[in-house]
Amino acid sequence: MIGQKTLHSFFSAAPVKKRGRSPEPGGDAEVSAAKKAKAAGDEAGQASPLSPEQVERIRKNKEAALQRLAERNVPAGFGESWRRQLAGEFSKPYFMELMAFVAEERKRYTVYPPPDQVFTWTQMCDIRDVKVVILGQDPYHGPNQAHGLCFSVQKPVPPPPSLENIYKELSTDIEDFTHPGHGDLTGWAKQGVLLLNAVLTVRAHQATSHKERGWEQFTDVVVSWLNKNLHGVVFMLWGAYAQKKGSSIDRKRHHVLQTVHPSPFSVNRGFFGCRHFSKTNELLKKSGKKPIDWRAL
């Protein structure tokens, strides 16, 4: 009938569903996953690695900060070239404790050498110009004796017994050597002879010096630096302590001469006749270095 609707006309056809495409490599699903991963990475900014330039900048900033800290702890009278190479030690706990300990000792006792002479051995020559190392024991504990170079005393203090024995050996070992009439070994130190004591300071009139905490560790650092950074250094190790301290020296890289200490208690057991001074000059010549003028005092 015209105008009449059939029963079926009241029901509309269900909408046709679009078939989704199967995810394929590189398809929409993979692209979506990549976008999500990128977004997650962006949110977690710390996951991105630093560039080489950033790493280097951080390293330099850290190094500069440590250098500033070390500068605040540089001991009085410490030589510039030695400071540049050893400054990293000054801010370490053991060294700061050592300096604090010595400062407290000075408040209560007379301590030698004076504060401005403790590190005289770093003032005489550049650290890279060291050619000979003599390791002493304790600083002298009499007035005006110790001045930061082992075995040495300043004018007009008479040379102590160990130094007199050194002069006796020199007079038989080095041609034209004569007793200088004083005990100041600065002339050797300026030529590259490192005169380093095993103990930093001593109390006045104390027969056996106390060994400050940390000093042995620092002397190990000094010897280690010379051992690793220089070539052809002659180490003159007199006595058991010096020989123990020199046990780590690379003997293929450097030269080691050993004998007893020149103290009156041991000098006749091998120091006299050791000829260490002439032997040292022979070794320096073989290494292409200028020998020491042992007479220049």
Side-chain angles (χ1 to χ4, degrees):
M1 184 180 293
I2 299 174
Q4 282 188 311
K5 294 184 179 180
T6 63
L7 180 63
H8 293 290
S9 65
F10 288 99
F11 300 94
S12 60
V16 179
K17 292 183 179 179
K18 293 183 180 179
R19 295 179 62 186
R21 290 182 295 176
S22 298
E24 296 178 358
D28 293 342
E30 187 169 318
V31 171
S32 178
K35 289 181 178 179
K36 290 179 180 178
K38 183 178 184 303
D42 290 341
E43 291 176 3
Q46 67 272 20
S48 300
L50 296 172
S51 68
E53 292 78 12
Q54 290 173 313
V55 171
E56 177 64 12
R57 188 159 58 249
I58 291 171
R59 185 193 68 78
K60 288 184 177 180
N61 289 341
K62 181 179 179 181
E63 188 176 87
L66 290 174
Q67 184 70 22
R68 288 193 296 271
L69 179 61
E71 291 291 344
R72 292 200 293 268
N73 298 314
V74 178
F78 209 91
E80 177 62 21
S81 69
W82 297 77
R83 181 197 62 76
R84 288 196 302 269
Q85 301 302 329
L86 305 175
E89 299 299 307
F90 301 153
S91 57
K92 292 183 178 179
Y94 85 89
F95 194 86
M96 291 191 290
E97 289 173 8
L98 169 63
M99 292 295 101
F101 175 73
V102 173
E104 285 300 315
E105 288 279 287
R106 292 191 187 279
K107 293 177 182 178
R108 295 182 290 167
Y109 309 101
T110 299
V111 174
Y112 300 124
D116 61 330
Q117 294 182 339
V118 171
F119 296 101
T120 299
W121 52 275
T122 68
Q123 302 167 11
M124 298 291 102
C125 72
D126 190 286
I127 190 171
R128 293 191 178 276
D129 292 336
V130 171
K131 296 188 286 188
V132 180
V133 177
I134 297 177
L135 291 176
Q137 293 185 357
D138 306 346
Y140 298 123
H141 53 267
N144 302 315
Q145 287 186 319
H147 68 113
L149 303 178
C150 71
F151 295 108
S152 180
V153 292
Q154 291 179 304
K155 303 172 186 176
V157 179
S162 291
L163 182 53
E164 288 287 7
N165 288 333
I166 291 172
Y167 285 162
K168 287 179 183 178
E169 174 60 20
L170 277 160
S171 66
T172 62
D173 186 25
I174 299 298
E175 186 178 356
D176 296 330
F177 180 87
T178 57
H179 195 298
H182 63 82
D184 193 339
L185 304 182
T186 298
W188 292 356
K190 289 183 176 180
Q191 296 180 68
V193 180
L194 173 59
L195 299 163
L196 179 62
N197 271 317
V199 177
L200 183 62
T201 61
V202 294
R203 295 177 190 168
H205 311 300
Q206 182 168 309
T208 303
S209 63
H210 58 281
K211 299 187 182 301
E212 300 93 348
R213 296 164 293 183
W215 180 242
E216 186 167 351
Q217 185 173 343
F218 187 70
T219 56
D220 285 341
V221 170
V222 173
V223 172
S224 177
W225 191 97
L226 298 172
N227 182 48
K228 293 178 181 178
N229 293 279
L230 303 182
H231 289 82
V233 175
V234 181
F235 288 84
M236 302 168 76
L237 308 180
W238 301 337
Y241 181 87
Q243 290 164 22
K244 179 183 177 182
K245 185 64 66 176
S247 62
S248 61
I249 295 167
D250 184 347
R251 302 189 183 211
K252 293 181 180 179
R253 187 184 183 101
H254 302 286
H255 311 288
V256 176
L257 300 175
Q258 297 186 175
T259 190
V260 298
H261 193 274
S263 161
F265 299 105
S266 58
V267 69
N268 290 304
R269 298 204 301 268
F271 187 83
F272 285 150
C274 70
R275 298 181 62 82
H276 275 191
F277 303 96
S278 60
K279 288 178 180 178
T280 291
N281 280 350
E282 291 170 6
L283 292 169
L284 290 175
K285 289 177 184 177
K286 288 181 180 179
S287 297
K289 300 181 179 182
K290 184 179 179 180
I292 304 299
D293 184 357
W294 300 107
R295 302 165 300 176
L297 289 173

